Amino acid sequence: VRQLPVMSDTSLRDILRAPAGPVDLSGIDPRATPRAPGGKSKAVTATRKQGERLAGLQEMLYAEGTMDGATKRVLLVLQGMDTCGKDGTVKHVIGMLNPQGCHITGFKKPTPEELQHHFLWRIRRAVPPPGQVGIFNRSHYEDVLVVRVHDLVPPEVWGKRYEEINRFERQLAGNGVTIVKCFLHISAKEQRRRLLARLADPTKRWKFNPGDLSERARWKDYQQAYEAVLERCSTGVAPWYIVPADRKWYRNWAVAQLLGEALGGMSLAYPQPELDIPALTARLRGGPAS
Ligand code: AMP
Ligand code: MG
């Protein structure tokens, strides 16, 4: 088994995990940097190092996934307000992994076909197969966030979804899925800054969606909807992590660290198939080019 660097800090999960009971997001500082290894430049270096470790663990996961009966996989769920950095996290954190072992799905406004099905239908189809790291850029949680804020279905319908989601995630966990759910927590002030930057920069303007301004106007409603999610859907097998995300370098470091802790806890190892190595070696030595 290949030696991987040992990371001393193994408990960011305990620090960022959503607290039990009611969650008050206004009391959690989006600029905070708990457990960060120093400031920006140290964190960037540590993130790169963590990326190498992640890639090594991912390779073992992938290797295990090629074996009959394999079930282990990872599901990273990214949620947060517009401009919170979901795309940036995919680029900077998932970008350090092997694309062949990643399964990225962005969930947009449901298509007419998707709307004809139960809200988990499109989600189930995107669950990563064994050996893969699945990434949800938005997720089934939109069905109790934007849907709740905009009354897209009656309260009796979305009200039942929290339990449905918990049941679904429990099922996933039972099928070998290690679930890592990150709420990227930004401030309204930081969102304004990022939206203004999008408007001002011709290379970012394509990302500006005037509709984001009406969502921004519902800031308080969204924070409340997120608080309900964090309170009701943070479970033992699928906890929520609240990642302060006003500083991009901290966000990247923290998500990489959380993933590293999750993968590190999966008891991954390279499979050792039963091969007659001396016989196979001899055949190779005697074949073409000998
Ligand atoms: P973006 O992530 O910026 O590409 O935007 C995707 C948009 O799709 C966001 O405005 C989401 O709120 C919206 N969206 C995602 N899932 C749902 C859903 N289940 N119902 C309604 N809107 C959704
Ligand atoms: Mg957007």
Side-chain angles (χ1 to χ4, degrees):
V1 177
R2 200 167 111 209
Q3 287 296 302
L4 292 163
V6 177
M7 293 280 151
S8 51
D9 182 359
T10 54
S11 56
L12 191 65
R13 284 186 293 184
D14 300 329
I15 312 269
L16 296 187
R17 198 191 156 128
V23 177
D24 174 14
L25 283 174
S26 69
I28 301 176
D29 181 6
R31 291 186 68 75
T33 61
R35 285 287 174 109
K40 179 173 175 175
S41 78
K42 284 227 168 78
V44 168
T45 305
T47 303
R48 204 176 311 124
K49 234 172 114 188
Q50 183 68 258
E52 285 165 24
R53 176 169 176 268
L54 282 174
L57 289 163
Q58 180 200 16
E59 189 172 83
M60 290 198 279
L61 175 66
Y62 189 92
E64 283 196 5
T66 64
M67 297 290 114
D68 282 343
T71 60
K72 285 182 213 168
R73 44 221 141 131
V74 173
L75 178 60
L76 174 69
V77 174
L78 298 173
Q79 282 288 163
M81 302 293 288
D82 291 314
T83 77
C84 68
K86 298 181 289 294
D87 296 342
T89 303
V90 171
K91 179 174 170 181
H92 294 288
V93 179
I94 302 309
M96 299 189 293
L97 304 184
N98 181 345
Q100 185 144 269
C102 293
H103 195 270
I104 305 170
T105 312
F107 291 98
K108 312 281 179 190
K109 198 167 167 283
T111 62
E113 190 199 8
E114 287 169 344
L115 276 178
Q116 286 181 356
H117 295 271
H118 185 267
F119 77 101
L120 291 174
W121 179 74
R122 64 175 183 165
I123 307 296
R124 291 184 192 278
R125 289 158 47 110
V127 170
Q132 294 270 314
V133 178
I135 298 97
F136 283 1
N137 186 339
R138 301 189 190 270
S139 66
H140 41 302
Y141 284 97
E142 291 293 324
D143 292 280
V144 285
L145 291 163
V146 63
V147 167
R148 165 175 161 157
V149 169
H150 288 281
D151 297 313
L152 299 182
V153 300
E156 312 84 85
V157 175
W158 61 252
K160 281 198 285 238
R161 289 181 173 170
Y162 298 94
E163 251 326 296
E164 284 185 88
I165 288 174
N166 289 343
R167 209 176 318 127
F168 167 63
E169 292 179 352
R170 206 163 337 137
Q171 219 174 63
L172 290 184
N175 290 328
V177 184
T178 295
I179 304 169
V180 181
K181 302 187 294 193
C182 295
F183 167 60
L184 307 182
H185 179 42
I186 57 164
S187 62
K189 205 169 148 193
E190 178 64 16
Q191 188 192 58
R192 174 190 284 142
R193 226 180 47 75
R194 293 183 187 179
L195 286 172
L196 285 170
R198 267 185 196 180
L199 266 183
D201 182 346
T203 71
K204 286 188 178 159
R205 212 165 277 153
W206 61 275
K207 271 197 156 198
F208 190 90
N209 173 4
D212 292 350
L213 295 187
S214 35
E215 299 311 295
R216 176 172 163 76
R218 311 286 297 266
W219 187 271
K220 284 222 169 77
D221 296 337
Y222 270 104
Q223 295 300 108
Q224 264 175 27
Y226 270 108
E227 286 168 352
V229 160
L230 296 167
E231 180 180 339
R232 300 178 66 177
C233 296
S234 191
T235 61
V237 291
W240 269 105
Y241 301 107
I242 302 173
V243 178
D246 271 12
R247 302 176 200 262
K248 296 175 182 175
W249 58 263
Y250 178 78
R251 173 202 77 206
N252 290 339
W253 174 81
V255 175
Q257 175 71 28
L258 291 170
L259 267 181
E261 291 178 11
L263 278 152
M266 290 173 73
S267 319
L268 297 168
Y270 285 109
Q272 300 301 327
E274 291 210 15
L275 298 172
D276 183 348
I277 294 168
L280 292 168
T281 306
R283 262 174 73 190
L284 266 168
R285 292 238 159 90
S290 62

